[in-house]
Amino acid sequence: MSENKDELISAFTKMMKQSGRIARRSPIFKKDLKDFGGSIKLQWKIGKLYGYQIFEEDNYSFKIGEQIENPDLFIRIHNPELALRFFNGEDMGFSYAARRDYKGKFKVQYVEGFKIVESEKGPRKQRISHRYLTAKALNDKFKHPFNLMKLPPFQRGMKLISKKEEYGVYVPINKNLGTYENKVIPYKVFEHFIEKASNIVVQKYCGCRRFNACEDHDEEIGCMYMGDDTYEIKITEDKGRVVTKEEALDYVRRAIDDGLIPLLGRAMGEAGSLGVEDTGHFLSCCFCCSCCCINGKIMTYGPNANFTMFSRIEGVSLKVDENLCIGCGKCVEVCVFRGREMVDGKAKIDQTRCLGCGRCAEVCPTGATTIDIDDINRVDALISKIEQFVDVRDQSALLD
Ligand code: SF4
Ligand code: SF4
Ligand code: SF4
């Protein structure tokens, strides 16, 4: 018993020290800390063992075996075995289950792998996951479970995502941006990939919109996946299906008409969550809404480092004409990336966060917000850039 306790204390201490090194060295963490108002206090309880950490702008401290007054977040790991693995730097993944009426309490699961299970509708892949952590925010500093990813203890096991593994771009939906060969830009981009794709799978419904009981957008438009790796997706009829090129184009048309923002790119995490290995032939297409989409939540609440994962199309610019702005705030409401804020009753754009999706310009009632692209041929450049990361063509046909 005492040997196990010593091992746990030693690993707990190691995690605390590593957290301090990240806090001191990481410029991105310094930015993340500002989002917590410049400091955050974490109370831990592992089995019966307490410990705390205080992150401040110029200071970091921790203590094992004690509780702190007025913590901002209480984190509990019930199973010391799992705590040990986490403290020793194992990447436990991050899958959380919050109630719909999330009031600051949530559980984090770790995904051990997948198993094939038989169902009435045929074999399907099922996750093997275990709860390893529960947390409770004790004030409004901590706003969402994804805030956890901003904290050093949860960044230790994370491997840096390289641009080769994750590359995504939001395609502007604004129809005033212009047309390319008489088609709105997102439609043109999708048409290119759908035409080339060896296989296309669509989800029968959008998990994010269904989970959040979305009232503003069509729940029946979910993610779309293209390329050879999608042959490995084991999806049952009630969850999704393989579609023809015509059906895929129609799906995209419905998404655009519904005001959903297309996100296209390589997302190895997305392939992994479906139990599929991404070998460079898996194009993820998400149709995001500002209200429910998990990608928007990750961008809003996750680490500022996430902004390296997505790009704005080169040549796209956003402007606000202050003389026309009536300060209604609609643009701030629809922006999922915290790219807008109100200053003295006028809307401002944070150019470092704005990803050029064009949603704000669509909803602006006075035309104060405008989106422009300097050269419509940038669309070709965008397609080529995505193709550097993902090849959706039939690879066996290329060998002939
Ligand atoms: S990622 Fe986008 S399309 Fe996919 S389930 Fe979430 S909101 Fe729906
Ligand atoms: S939606 Fe338009 S008018 Fe309203 S705050 Fe934003 S920029 Fe101003
Ligand atoms: S400010 Fe927000 S809503 Fe507007 S284009 Fe940029 S990311 Fe999209």
Side-chain angles (χ1 to χ4, degrees), residues 320 324-331 340 342 347 360 363-366 368-369:
V320 179
L324 293 176
C325 176
I326 54 169
C328 67
K330 285 193 175 150
C331 54
R340 316 273 309 202
M342 298 299 293
C360 53
V363 299
C364 178
T366 64
T369 294

Side-chain angles (χ1 to χ4, degrees), residues 8 12 92 109 136 152 167 176 228 255 268 312 333 400:
L8 185 63
F12 202 7
M92 310 291 281
Q109 321 266 0
K136 185 175 180 193
Y167 171 79
N176 300 325
D228 278 2
M268 291 182 78
R312 191 198 291 196
E333 237 171 72
D400 295 342

Side-chain angles (χ1 to χ4, degrees), residues 14-26 29 53 55 60-62 152-153 156:
K14 181 172 140 193
M15 178 281 275
M16 298 277 194
K17 287 184 177 166
Q18 283 174 339
S19 299
R21 283 197 285 277
I22 294 174
R24 275 189 293 274
R25 290 180 194 160
S26 160
F29 174 67
Q53 293 176 289
F55 296 92
Y60 166 70
S61 53
F62 71 89
R156 295 163 314 120

Side-chain angles (χ1 to χ4, degrees), residues 6-105:
D6 287 350
E7 196 184 356
L8 185 63
I9 290 176
S10 152
F12 202 7
T13 309
K14 181 172 140 193
M15 178 281 275
M16 298 277 194
K17 287 184 177 166
Q18 283 174 339
S19 299
R21 283 197 285 277
I22 294 174
R24 275 189 293 274
R25 290 180 194 160
S26 160
I28 291 176
F29 174 67
K30 292 194 193 325
K31 221 171 162 188
D32 288 335
L33 194 60
K34 284 203 170 75
D35 294 339
F36 291 122
S39 71
I40 186 143
K41 292 192 260 181
L42 311 183
Q43 176 68 59
W44 291 84
K45 190 175 181 196
I46 314 302
K48 291 182 181 164
L49 179 66
Y50 284 98
Y52 69 78
Q53 293 176 289
I54 307 176
F55 296 92
E56 295 166 300
E57 273 176 16
D58 299 313
N59 196 36
Y60 166 70
S61 53
F62 71 89
K63 192 110 193 168
I64 307 265
E66 287 188 23
Q67 297 192 56
I68 189 174
E69 271 182 38
N70 304 321
D72 299 305
L73 185 71
F74 194 102
I75 304 172
R76 192 148 189 205
I77 303 181
H78 297 264
N79 182 337
E81 288 292 314
L82 290 179
L84 208 55
R85 287 168 57 183
F86 171 61
F87 292 156
N88 282 326
E90 193 173 316
D91 182 3
M92 310 291 281
F94 187 92
S95 162
Y96 86 90
R99 292 160 55 94
R100 264 180 220 195
D101 56 345
Y102 164 70
K103 291 198 180 91
K105 264 192 180 171

Side-chain angles (χ1 to χ4, degrees), residues 203 206-209 221-223 286-289 292-295:
Q203 288 184 328
C206 162
C208 304
R209 284 185 272 282
I221 302 167
C223 300
C286 167
F287 299 100
C288 305
C289 49
C292 313
C293 181
I294 192 167
N295 289 318

